[in-house]
């Protein structure tokens, strides 16, 4: 426990230092790569190409603003696909439509005990080791996807955008699965979108599909209001459809259907595009039924998260994420692989409680060139179960990685990564695992 608290304090200091010393005025290497990707976009006019040079120049500026809106989205994750290669635009540049996608292939090799599944999650490290699965080679197309986006402006409703995003992470990592489907009108977002409690942009770069084991980037059907003040300050609040993960091992205690929405909120300061510090929170209602006593019980879940992404130098990017709470395990992190929103009380099997969970992640990325960088990342998730819980119960998971990422062309990239994972149980029994990853991706 004390180690986790020390890590939280160290991470908080890193967040403050990143915001204080960031060189916001300089054009950084990641920004330069975004400009290269923007220049590779092909524009197709749907109602006639403008003929005069002044209009063409104005269109070009409008196109750059649209693409910047895509890449500097508040809730964009590093693994999300690039902006569409083909962009259909109206003559007045008031409406644009993009249809795009990505083809992504990963191959990986596990040793010192294979992790089941294509995602390298410390929670899934088997204890004890399975002697029949100590090494493993496999591949997956997970992350390959298609998306559709419209961005426009109307004199009545103002700016708006529509987005549908899918990827092949469904059945056996090959079935098409809906990832996002939402509409944004000015400051309002309605639909299946990334939770307000999440900050995907502040998650360190990880090639493996699981990412950091402290990653909160879940999606939910929501209604969000998020205005911006003075082009730097953001506040947001949302009502989100709940999805709880309740202990199902006891016959005398049963989960109830969700009947109240989650309430999430954030406050953010952004000193440059793609650089910010954010404080977010979420409140939840978690319910269960004591079958023996024929009584229903409602418990409060809550979570707080402090996160930041900053570029203190032209070639350097830092990522920091700290979080803690009760009853938030089902929203992400290593704990989403289990049922940890509500756990059975060891001293009273007819009652459930909300366990405390803590987590942190840190990342450092250095761009040798705009299209080539290396990064290191580390993260940890800790579950504080009550005394008397099974000795085989999860206590702590640790993840670390080092990778190299090269954009051979603006839309063609290759990457390699070494992952390290460790799971520790309440009994203090622990195991380590290793994975080597390679990836090739093409966006269109």
């Amino acid at each position: 426990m004390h180690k986790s608290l020390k890590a939280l304090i160290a991470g908080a200091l890193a967040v403050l230092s990143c915001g204080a010393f960031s060189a916001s005025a300089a054009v950084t290497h990641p920004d330069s790569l975004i400009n290269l990707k923007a220049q590779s976009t092909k524009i197709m006019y749907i109602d006639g190409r403008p003929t005069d040079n002044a209009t063409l120049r104005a269109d070009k500026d409008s196109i750059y603003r649209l693409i910047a809106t895509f890449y500097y989205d508040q809730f964009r994750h590093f693994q999300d696909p690039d902006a569409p290669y083909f962009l259909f635009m109206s003559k007045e540049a008031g409406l644009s439509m993009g249809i795009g996608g990505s083809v992504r292939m990963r191959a990986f090799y596990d040793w010192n005990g294979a992790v089941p599944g294509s995602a390298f999650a410390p929670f899934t490290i088997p204890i004890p080791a399975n002697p029949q699965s100590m090494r493993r080679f496999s591949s997956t197309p997970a992350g390959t996807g298609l998306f559709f986006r419209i961005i426009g402006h109307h004199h009545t409703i103002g700016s708006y955008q529509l987005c549908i995003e899918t990827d092949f992470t469904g059945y056996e990592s090959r079935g098409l699965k809906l990832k996002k489907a939402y509409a944004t009108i000015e400051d309002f977002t309605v639909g299946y979108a990334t939770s307000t409690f999440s900050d995907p942009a502040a998650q360190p770069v990880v090639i493996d599909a699981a990412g950091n084991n402290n990653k909160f980037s879940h999606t939910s059907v929501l209604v969000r209001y998020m205005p911006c003040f003075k082009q730097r300050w953001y506040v947001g609040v949302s009502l989100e459809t709940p999805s709880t993960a309740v202990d199902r091992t006891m016959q005398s205690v049963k989960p109830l259907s969700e009947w109240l929405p989650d309430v999430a909120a954030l406050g953010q300061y952004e000193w440059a595009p793609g650089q910010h510090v954010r404080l977010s929170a979420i409140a939840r209602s978690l319910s269960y039924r004591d079958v023996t006593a024929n009584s229903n019980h409602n418990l409060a879940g809550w979570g707080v998260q402090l996160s930041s992404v900053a570029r203190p130098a032209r070639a350097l990017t830092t990522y920091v994420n700290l979080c803690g709470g009760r009853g938030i395990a089902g929203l992400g992190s290593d704990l989403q692989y289990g049922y940890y929103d509500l756990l059975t009380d060891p001293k009273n099997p007819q009652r459930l409680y909300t366990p405390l969970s803590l987590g942190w992640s840190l990342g450092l990325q250095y761009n040798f060139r705009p299209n080539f960088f290396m990064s290191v990342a580390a993260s940890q998730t800790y579950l504080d179960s009550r005394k008397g819980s099974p000795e085989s119960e999860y206590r702590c998971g640790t993840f670390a990685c080092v990778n190299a990422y090269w954009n051979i062309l603006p839309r063609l990239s290759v990457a390699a990564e070494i992952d390290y994972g460790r799971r520790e149980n309440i009994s203090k029994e622990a195991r380590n695992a290793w994975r080597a990853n390679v990836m090739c991706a093409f966006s269109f």
Side-chain angles (χ1 to χ4, degrees), residues 11-260:
L13 294 175
V15 170
L16 296 176
S17 64
C18 288
F21 298 106
S22 176
S24 60
V27 177
T28 66
H29 282 329
D31 294 325
S32 298
L33 180 59
I34 289 175
N35 290 334
L36 288 175
K37 290 182 177 181
Q39 293 170 7
S40 70
T41 301
K42 303 300 181 184
I43 307 301
M44 303 177 67
Y45 290 91
I46 59 178
D47 53 3
R49 179 185 177 91
T51 55
D52 60 287
N53 292 332
T55 304
L56 284 173
R57 285 194 298 270
D59 273 4
K60 186 176 180 180
D61 293 338
S62 176
I63 291 166
Y64 275 108
R65 286 195 299 270
L66 287 172
I67 297 176
T69 300
F70 184 94
Y71 282 105
Y72 294 121
D73 188 293
Q74 293 287 339
F75 297 97
R76 187 176 189 276
H77 190 269
F78 170 79
Q79 293 185 0
D80 288 348
D82 288 328
Y85 184 69
F86 294 102
L87 195 66
F88 299 90
M89 181 168 287
S90 65
K91 189 174 182 179
E92 295 79 16
L95 176 68
S96 66
M97 179 180 69
I99 302 174
S102 62
V103 177
R104 182 176 301 167
M105 297 298 299
R106 294 186 182 93
F108 57 89
Y109 175 75
D110 292 354
W111 70 95
N112 194 39
V115 174
S118 60
F120 188 79
F123 183 93
T124 62
I125 297 175
I127 299 178
N130 181 0
Q132 294 178 310
S133 184
M134 295 301 294
R135 293 177 293 180
R136 179 187 179 211
F137 171 78
S138 187
S139 61
T140 175
T144 297
L146 299 169
F147 67 92
F148 175 89
R149 182 178 294 235
I150 290 178
I151 301 177
H153 182 86
H154 191 272
H155 61 86
T156 302
I157 62 175
S159 299
Y160 65 90
Q161 64 171 300
L162 307 174
C163 176
I164 296 177
E165 185 177 333
T166 65
D167 67 3
F168 290 87
T169 56
Y171 178 69
E172 293 185 345
S173 297
R174 291 177 175 83
L176 190 64
K177 177 182 177 182
L178 181 65
K179 191 174 181 181
K180 297 176 184 176
Y182 64 86
T184 297
I185 302 176
E186 290 292 332
D187 299 327
F188 288 92
T189 298
V190 180
Y192 187 56
T194 303
S195 169
T196 304
F197 183 62
S198 302
D199 190 0
Q203 287 291 334
V205 174
V206 177
I207 306 304
D208 188 85
N212 293 276
N213 72 330
N214 183 49
K215 181 175 70 175
F216 285 87
S217 59
H218 69 288
T219 51
S220 177
V221 177
L222 55 80
V223 177
R224 175 166 54 228
Y225 176 61
M226 194 173 76
C228 177
F229 301 96
K230 298 183 178 180
Q231 298 182 333
R232 290 180 180 269
W233 294 94
Y234 290 84
V235 294
V237 62
S238 64
L239 297 178
E240 306 182 0
T241 303
S243 178
T244 57
V246 181
D247 187 357
R248 301 171 185 267
T249 60
M250 302 298 296
Q251 295 298 319
S252 58
V253 179
K254 300 294 183 182
L256 295 178
S257 56
E258 294 91 357
W259 60 283
L260 278 177

Side-chain angles (χ1 to χ4, degrees), residues 9 42 60 148 168 237 264 293 297 305 315 334 345 359 371 378 395:
I9 294 172
K42 303 300 181 184
K60 186 176 180 180
F148 175 89
F168 290 87
V237 62
H297 301 270
Q305 183 170 223
D334 227 11
D345 189 336
N371 65 336
R395 178 180 180 270

